[in-house]
Amino acid sequence: MKLSAFPKLAGLVLGIGLLAACSSDPNRQKIKHLNLGEKYSKSGKYREAVIEFRNALDIDPRLADAHYQLGRVYLILNNPESAFRELQSAATLDPANSGAQLQLASLLIARHQYAEAQAVVQKVIDRDPSNSRAHSILGQKHVVAGDLPKALAEFQKAIELNPRQVEIYSALGAVYLAQGEASSAEAVYKNAIAANPKSLDARVSLGQFYFSQGKMAAAETEMRAACDIDPHASVPWLLLGRLYLVAGKRADAEKLYAALKTRAPDDPNAYQALGLFYLSIGLREKAAAEFQSVAAAKPKDTTVKGQWIETLIDLGRIQEAAPLVQEVLKTNPADPPALVSQGRILLSEGKNSEAMAALQKAVNADQNSAKAYYYLGGAQKSAGLLDLAKASFTRALALQPQMSEAAAALAGLNVKGDPDEALRLAGNALQTDAGLPSAYLARARALLAKGDTRQGEAVLQEMLRHDPASLPALGMLLNLYTRQGKAQEAVRQISGLLQRDSRNAGLHFLLALGYFNLKDLDKSEAGVRQALALDPKTPQAYTLLANIDFARGSVEKAKNDLRTAIAASPRNPSNYMALANQYEKESNWEEAKRLFEKSRELDPASPYIAAELAFLYLEHGGDVNVAVSLAQAAKQAMPRSPVAADALGWAYYKLGSIEPALTQLKQAAQQSPDNAMYQYHLGMAYVAARRTDLARKSLQTALKSDPAFLDAANARTALDRLAAAPL
């Protein structure tokens, strides 16, 4: 090798060393990650930006600008907790960064930490008295703290410092409106236009003000002016469409929303507008078709696909919705809207456990989804988990206070325990949605629970004015009139509705129920048959047929009807229970146990099923300890029920715990003194306790109440033994 080659080789090695030194320089690397993060953020690639800013902070945890930029991205990604943490770090590391300080102040206001927010903003103002944004944020703090005069002063100061900030005018106008000074608010909105004549936002704000004041012509003028400033901006067109809708110009609104898809083809608010318009006026079939069309054109927009799925579910088109949900979940198994839709589908199929699992996943994936909590509450209610359902509905209302459906659902759950609270919740729901059926029903039930039948009936009649063929309202009214001896009046009302809608299966069923209550079994059966001819899946139709057959003494036919009812609604526990009760009368205890066990599978929270099953296990073969657990569960759910007290007392008796047994059995007998079985159980417990006189009295009362009750022979045998016993 020539010696002259060494200098070149040495130079090459030195060059490689310099490159390696540059690439490993921490300062250069952190700046590289910071710049790349800013590039990603500006292009809308926020997830990638987060990674780069974090890479920079891994190298230098005290890099204030990386904390600041990361906090801003977290705000865009709707992660306020992480944003707060990063902005707090940025503000601490760089007190001169006004942007970080003011964004931190805004988050402190959102967290109701008003004193801390004011302290942060004041430092910025002390350092830069002409910072208009600082005065604006201080104004926001005064608004939420309820000090409107101070808010006015800060917003006015902010406008003086920067007359080009349209959003400050909007905030100032809102404060004037809150104080009832509409003319001052109008002047502010006009000043915004004068200072910013080409501002679309300024025109929109004035248009919205006129809309809120009912000045529709002036509102339309401003919206059209905003549209002229930027014909492709969707906001003014959307507001103009809303104005048409309120004015009853549906055709104009529909035309506008259809054209908007072409004006702003890449704006989700624009291309979703027509489908949402159809939903708002109750045209769900047209909405489904529109969402399907948009989803085909925008396959990456999962929001549109979700709207299509939800509309299909609302229409009962479950078979079409289900595969679409699976498509979404295959791509993203934790997608909250898709999990909610999956839960709704499972609920419609009566699969409560599976529905709860899916909806719990939705809640875990999005803790702020009021919709997920609402449907989770519905699933829990269907499963009989009423305390959990209350908690879920309450959480949904906390997240979305105007969610009338959640308020109505919570009202329904409070009817028995707290009818006054039920009335309050139902009233709130009706204030938000004046025609919400579930709120009317909850209000009526609460009034009836309070014994106010006159007002309860009035609420039902008011609901029927909104929807004359409402089956739930008519059913409640029929039940009320039957208790009052006025079933014939309900029959006349339902018959009148059938003259206008003769193919309504639900109305035929209610008419049949009315005739059954009037003991007209022939007309009742004819009504049920007509309902089934129109809709073979009419709920409870075969159950009513069974009751008709029982009333006629056709027991085998009634049992067949109940079997048909079970086949038609295999997840309805009431039919299993009805058939089990008949088998009990026939002393077919094994079949009765099997059916009650099936009922408990379907409704594990039902205290009535638990009590019945406890008796069957105690009397006809079963684990006594399991029976005690079932009876305790029934007692806990129904602490004042004689059924639960008797079940638990008899279970204690079977275990040999006589004193606890007597406590429960005395409660049952005192509440229902004419119930032969309760008196018999109490008498046998007194026998075990060697309280002969009390035992004799209870057993005699049992036989006097019903000489042929199920355990009458055992009661007589016990009395004979007491008579033969030595004194």
Side-chain angles (χ1 to χ4, degrees):
M1 183 179 290
K2 294 182 179 179
L3 291 175
S4 60
F6 280 96
K8 292 181 181 179
L9 181 61
L12 178 61
V13 171
L14 180 61
I16 292 172
L18 286 172
L19 284 173
C22 289
S23 65
S24 62
D25 182 351
N27 285 323
R28 289 178 180 271
Q29 281 296 99
K30 71 181 182 183
I31 297 302
K32 177 184 174 183
H33 287 303
L34 183 64
N35 292 337
L36 192 54
E38 290 176 350
K39 180 181 176 182
Y40 281 138
S41 180
K42 287 176 183 176
S43 63
K45 297 179 179 179
Y46 301 117
R47 302 290 180 189
E48 293 86 343
V50 168
I51 293 171
E52 294 302 328
F53 291 137
R54 286 206 165 280
N55 287 339
L57 289 169
D58 286 341
I59 296 170
D60 182 1
R62 296 183 60 80
L63 186 60
D65 200 29
H67 283 292
Y68 175 50
Q69 299 291 354
L70 183 56
R72 293 178 65 190
V73 171
Y74 276 138
L75 283 175
I76 295 169
L77 292 172
N78 195 28
N79 187 344
E81 289 301 319
S82 296
F84 180 81
R85 184 175 60 250
E86 298 302 330
L87 291 169
Q88 196 172 41
S89 297
T92 302
L93 293 166
D94 184 6
N97 186 337
S98 297
Q101 302 283 352
L102 294 177
Q103 285 193 321
L104 176 63
S106 293
L107 288 175
L108 285 166
I109 292 169
R111 295 159 72 102
H112 306 294
Q113 296 177 244
Y114 303 135
E116 294 89 337
Q118 178 153 348
V120 170
V121 177
Q122 195 60 54
K123 287 180 183 177
V124 175
I125 292 174
D126 291 344
R127 192 168 54 250
D128 180 11
S130 63
N131 190 314
S132 64
R133 186 168 171 236
H135 286 284
S136 174
I137 290 175
L138 194 54
Q140 293 170 15
K141 176 261 170 186
H142 289 314
V143 167
V144 295
D147 195 338
L148 297 186
K150 285 185 179 179
L152 284 174
E154 292 299 334
F155 288 137
Q156 287 165 343
K157 180 68 174 176
I159 289 172
E160 288 173 16
L161 293 169
N162 188 356
R164 306 285 294 177
Q165 288 292 319
V166 174
E167 63 270 17
I168 304 176
Y169 290 93
S170 298
L172 179 59
V175 174
Y176 277 126
L177 276 177
Q179 294 188 149
E181 300 177 42
S183 58
S184 297
E186 182 178 8
V188 168
Y189 294 128
K190 286 182 174 180
N191 289 342
I193 293 173
N196 305 274
K198 295 296 183 182
S199 169
L200 181 146
D201 290 338
R203 288 284 178 184
V204 167
S205 293
L206 182 57
Q208 287 179 310
F209 164 75
Y210 285 136
F211 185 89
S212 72
Q213 300 299 300
K215 298 178 179 179
M216 298 304 178
E220 183 173 353
T221 298
E222 296 304 325
M223 294 306 176
R224 289 198 173 279
C227 292
D228 290 340
I229 292 171
D230 184 357
H232 298 290
S234 61
V235 171
W237 290 107
L238 289 167
L239 292 171
L240 189 58
R242 184 181 169 203
L243 190 151
Y244 286 152
L245 188 56
V246 170
K249 300 178 180 178
R250 288 188 175 183
D252 290 340
E254 182 177 12
K255 184 178 178 181
L256 183 152
Y257 290 134
L260 190 55
K261 291 194 293 184
T262 304
R263 283 197 177 96
D266 297 321
D267 184 345
N269 292 320
Y271 60 69
Q272 293 172 23
L274 184 58
L276 294 173
F277 161 73
Y278 287 138
L279 279 184
S280 71
I281 60 174
L283 298 179
R284 286 180 175 160
E285 291 289 355
K286 293 191 79 169
E290 174 62 19
F291 288 138
Q292 181 178 8
S293 172
V294 174
K298 306 286 182 181
K300 293 183 179 180
D301 190 329
T302 56
T303 301
V304 172
K305 195 167 191 176
Q307 290 165 336
W308 179 23
I309 290 168
E310 287 290 288
T311 306
L312 289 172
I313 295 172
D314 289 338
L315 288 166
R317 292 161 60 179
I318 303 300
Q319 290 183 337
E320 296 173 64
L324 296 172
V325 172
Q326 292 308 313
E327 285 177 16
V328 177
L329 291 175
K330 186 176 181 180
T331 305
N332 182 6
D335 182 75
L339 287 168
V340 171
S341 296
Q342 184 184 49
R344 291 189 64 192
I345 290 170
L346 291 166
L347 263 180
S348 72
E349 296 171 342
K351 299 175 181 177
N352 292 331
S353 298
E354 295 94 326
M356 280 191 288
L359 291 162
Q360 189 62 58
K361 284 182 184 177
V363 164
N364 294 341
D366 184 0
Q367 293 284 330
N368 295 314
S369 172
K371 191 173 184 180
Y373 276 105
Y374 169 69
Y375 283 113
L376 177 60
Q380 291 163 337
K381 179 184 174 184
S382 296
L385 304 173
L386 302 187
D387 289 339
L388 291 177
K390 278 187 180 181
S392 295
F393 290 139
T394 301
R395 178 61 179 159
L397 268 181
L399 290 168
Q400 192 174 322
Q402 299 302 310
M403 193 177 195
S404 54
E405 297 90 343
L410 196 54
L413 289 177
N414 276 285
V415 165
K416 288 185 178 180
D418 190 350
D420 289 324
E421 176 66 3
L423 285 173
R424 184 189 70 81
L425 288 164
N428 290 347
L430 289 169
Q431 283 182 350
T432 305
D433 185 350
L436 186 64
S438 55
Y440 274 109
L441 292 171
R443 183 170 177 78
R445 288 176 56 213
L447 288 165
L448 294 174
K450 286 168 65 70
D452 192 344
T453 55
R454 186 178 63 83
Q455 282 295 324
E457 180 183 348
V459 170
L460 290 172
Q461 294 291 8
E462 183 182 353
M463 181 180 175
L464 290 168
R465 281 192 288 274
H466 285 277
D467 181 5
S470 167
L471 298 178
L474 287 167
M476 283 184 66
L477 195 63
L478 173 60
N479 187 41
L480 174 61
Y481 282 173
T482 299
R483 293 203 311 268
Q484 294 175 335
K486 300 189 299 182
Q488 188 63 55
E489 191 173 329
V491 165
R492 278 196 298 269
Q493 188 167 343
I494 298 167
S495 296
L497 292 168
L498 276 169
Q499 289 178 2
R500 297 193 293 271
D501 186 7
S502 62
R503 299 192 61 76
N504 188 318
L507 288 177
H508 280 287
F509 174 77
L510 283 178
L511 184 62
L513 188 58
Y515 280 128
F516 181 80
N517 292 336
L518 290 170
K519 296 183 171 49
D520 190 335
L521 301 183
D522 291 340
K523 285 186 178 179
S524 182
E525 181 177 359
V528 180
R529 299 291 181 193
Q530 182 63 38
L532 287 169
L534 292 167
D535 180 4
K537 294 184 179 180
T538 300
Q540 301 298 319
Y542 286 102
T543 307
L544 179 53
L545 277 178
N547 286 325
I548 292 169
D549 288 329
F550 278 131
R552 287 172 169 163
S554 304
V555 174
E556 290 305 316
K557 190 176 178 186
K559 286 160 65 176
N560 284 332
D561 289 331
L562 287 172
R563 293 188 188 100
T564 305
I566 288 169
S569 301
R571 302 192 67 82
N572 183 349
S574 63
N575 292 318
Y576 293 92
M577 292 170 66
L579 189 54
N581 286 329
Q582 179 55 38
Y583 280 123
E584 281 184 314
K585 292 177 183 177
E586 298 172 2
S587 300
N588 188 341
W589 308 115
E590 290 304 315
E591 191 63 16
K593 271 195 290 187
R594 184 187 70 78
L595 289 165
F596 271 119
E597 285 168 347
K598 180 62 179 178
S599 300
R600 185 160 173 77
E601 285 178 26
L602 296 170
D603 190 358
S606 169
Y608 298 102
I609 296 173
E612 286 285 350
L613 204 48
F615 275 126
L616 285 170
Y617 286 159
L618 291 168
E619 294 296 311
H620 304 289
D623 190 324
V624 175
N625 291 312
V626 173
V628 171
S629 297
L630 289 168
Q632 286 173 332
K635 177 69 175 179
Q636 186 175 8
M638 304 185 298
R640 288 181 288 277
S641 166
V643 174
D646 184 60
L648 185 56
W650 196 237
Y652 285 148
Y653 170 82
K654 291 287 187 175
L655 277 177
S657 301
I658 303 306
E659 288 304 320
L662 283 170
T663 300
Q664 299 299 325
L665 295 171
K666 281 191 284 188
Q667 178 191 332
Q670 286 167 0
Q671 288 181 277
S672 299
D674 295 330
N675 187 300
M677 188 62 76
Y678 297 168
Q679 293 289 351
Y680 166 68
H681 287 162
L682 179 58
M684 294 306 293
Y686 279 136
V687 169
R690 301 182 184 279
R691 301 180 192 178
T692 305
D693 290 343
L694 292 174
R696 186 180 294 109
K697 182 180 178 182
S698 293
L699 293 169
Q700 288 171 343
T701 301
L703 290 168
K704 184 178 179 182
S705 298
D706 183 0
F709 80 99
L710 193 62
D711 278 307
N714 292 333
R716 291 188 181 93
T717 300
L719 280 171
D720 290 342
R721 286 176 180 168
L722 288 173
L727 296 176

